[in-house]
Amino acid sequence: MMTYQTLLYYCYSYIADAEQFATDHLAFCKSLNLVGRIIVADEGLNGTVSGTKEACEAYMAYIKADERFRKTDFKIDDVDAPSFVKMHCRYKSEIVHSGLRDPNIIDPNKQTGKHLEPIEFQKMIDREDVVILDVRSNYEHNLGRFKNAVTLDIENFREFPEKINELAKYKDKKVLTYCTGGIKCEKASALLLHHGFSDVYQLHGGIIKYGKEAKGEDFEGKCYVFDNRIAVDVNKVNPSVVSTCYNCGKITPKMINCANPECNEHVTQCDDCGNDLQGCCSISCTSNPRKRPYDGTGYYVKVSQQVKAPATGS
C-alpha cells in the first residue's frame, strides 16, 4: 500500500512581500515534514511537494484556504516513497523562467489560451485544422510527446519567445499547447495571442492530468518530471517508446542526469551504456574527479532528509 503522495501544482496570483512568504512557507512545509521544490515569485507559486498522505492533505487544505490560491489545481500521484529528499522553497523573479516579466504584455491572470480539459483536448488532437504544440525543452520532448506534435529546438523555456517567427505558419490553425503540468502554457499561449495567433488553446493540467483523465491516449513515450522519479508513465491505452539512447541509438525509455556534476546533462541512456559509462553522457565526463557514483537511477541529490511515516498508536 502506498502511504505517500506527490503533488504538482502552480497558481498565478500576486503575492505581496513574496520573499518573506517564501521563508515562512518553507518553515510551514518543514513543519509537515514535506519534501520538494517550490518557487515563489511576485506572480505566484509553482511547486512539487511530497510526503505522507496526511501531510499532503493538510498542505492542500492550507493552500486552498488562502483566498489568493483557492483555485489551485493539484495533480496528485500516489507513490511508494517520497519523490524528493529535501525541502526547498525559494524566491525567484518568475515561477517559470521565461524572461516575459512585463505584465503589460504577458499576464496569465488577464489573457491566456482557452483552457481545454483532457477529454476536450483528446477530441481535438486529430482534427485537420489543429496543430499540437509542445512548449517544453528538448530533453523533455525527446523522452515523450503527443503523436504528431510540433516540437521546438530549445534548451530552456526562456528560449520559447525566440521561436515565435518559426511558428507563424500555423496562424491559420487552432494551436493546442501543452506542457507537463500546464504552467508553461499559461505564458506560451499568452505570448502567441500577443503575436497575432487568434485561436490558441492549452491543455489544462498538462500531460500529468491528461494521463489521469484521458488515460494518456496518443502520448508517445514517458513524461519527464522534476523529481527523483525522473520519468513517469502516462499512456494506458496505446503506450509506446519513442526515445533512443544518446550514446548508442538503441530504443530506451530511461533518462538520466550525467554523473559529472559539471555537465549534469539530461540524456536518454540505455542500461548497457549507463553501466559502461558509469552514468556519464560521454567518455570525457567519466574522468571528471567530481564524478558522482552511479547507482543505476541517474538521479543525484546533495543531502538526504528522511520523511517520517505517520505515527501509529500503541
Side-chain angles (χ1 to χ4, degrees):
M1 180 178 176
M2 294 183 177
T3 58
Y4 300 96
Q5 290 182 329
T6 296
L7 312 176
L8 174 67
Y9 71 97
Y10 70 89
C11 183
Y12 282 98
S13 182
Y14 178 72
I15 302 174
D17 197 6
E19 290 189 64
Q20 184 60 50
F21 180 93
T23 299
D24 296 341
H25 201 65
L26 176 62
F28 173 70
C29 290
K30 287 184 173 180
S31 76
L32 293 177
N33 207 40
L34 291 170
V35 290
R37 186 182 298 115
I38 300 171
I39 298 172
V40 179
D42 296 350
E43 65 183 4
L45 298 174
N46 175 18
T48 308
V49 297
S50 191
T52 64
K53 288 185 177 181
E54 293 87 348
C56 287
E57 288 172 1
Y59 182 78
M60 288 187 286
Y62 176 82
I63 289 293
K64 290 194 171 187
D66 190 316
E67 182 62 24
R68 295 169 295 183
F69 314 129
R70 63 183 177 83
K71 293 183 180 180
T72 302
D73 183 22
F74 286 94
K75 277 72 74 177
I76 307 169
D77 279 337
D78 291 322
V79 293
D80 57 8
S83 299
F84 295 86
V85 295
K86 194 172 182 179
M87 188 68 231
H88 296 281
C89 184
R90 297 189 174 102
Y91 173 79
K92 294 189 177 182
S93 58
E94 297 178 90
I95 55 175
V96 59
H97 187 25
S98 67
L100 303 171
R101 294 195 291 271
D102 185 345
N104 295 316
I105 297 176
I106 303 297
D107 183 351
N109 288 308
K110 294 179 180 177
Q111 178 175 255
T112 64
K114 304 177 189 75
H115 286 63
L116 291 175
E117 293 303 321
I119 299 301
E120 296 174 304
F121 185 91
Q122 184 182 38
K123 290 177 180 178
M124 289 183 69
I125 56 178
D126 286 326
R127 289 173 47 167
E128 290 186 4
D129 61 340
V130 161
V131 61
I132 312 299
L133 178 61
D134 191 320
V135 304
R136 301 172 302 154
S137 304
N138 288 332
Y139 65 90
E140 297 173 87
H141 62 66
N142 284 342
L143 182 65
R145 55 197 174 268
F146 277 102
K147 179 184 70 176
N148 298 326
V150 171
T151 58
L152 302 173
D153 182 14
I154 56 177
E155 296 300 320
N156 296 283
F157 182 62
R158 62 177 174 269
E159 297 173 22
F160 177 80
E162 301 169 10
K163 299 296 180 178
I164 292 296
N165 289 339
E166 289 182 21
L167 298 172
K169 58 188 174 184
Y170 301 119
K171 279 191 174 182
D172 63 342
K173 299 274 191 178
K174 290 179 170 59
V175 180
L176 276 58
T177 66
Y178 74 88
C179 59
T180 307
I183 186 171
K184 293 177 181 177
C185 290
E186 300 283 4
K187 289 191 175 182
S189 65
L191 186 67
L192 289 168
L193 290 166
H194 177 73
H195 282 276
F197 291 76
S198 60
D199 214 356
V200 182
Y201 302 78
Q202 62 191 77
L203 175 57
H204 182 221
I207 300 163
I208 300 300
K209 188 173 183 180
Y210 184 85
K212 295 179 183 302
E213 297 186 9
K215 297 185 178 179
E217 185 173 10
D218 289 332
F219 185 84
E220 301 174 332
K222 292 195 173 193
C223 179
Y224 181 88
V225 291
F226 299 86
D227 57 61
N228 65 5
R229 294 172 296 169
I230 303 179
V232 297
D233 291 317
V234 172
N235 192 328
K236 301 177 184 66
V237 178
N238 52 351
S240 61
V241 179
V242 296
S243 50
T244 58
C245 179
Y246 175 81
N247 304 104
C248 73
K250 184 167 65 178
I251 292 287
T252 180
K254 185 176 181 180
M255 173 165 275
I256 67 159
N257 283 2
C258 179
N260 171 9
E262 294 174 13
C263 172
N264 207 45
E265 189 75 22
H266 301 281
V267 296
T268 45
Q269 187 180 69
C270 68
D271 285 329
D272 289 341
C273 289
N275 292 328
D276 291 345
L277 294 170
Q278 304 162 56
C280 292
C281 69
S282 64
I283 293 175
S284 61
C285 280
T286 63
S287 61
N288 188 288
R290 295 182 58 215
K291 185 180 72 67
R292 298 168 289 200
Y294 179 58
D295 65 0
T297 66
Y299 178 81
Y300 305 97
V301 295
K302 293 181 180 179
V303 181
S304 293
Q305 175 177 307
Q306 183 65 38
V307 176
K308 298 175 184 176
T312 56
S314 56

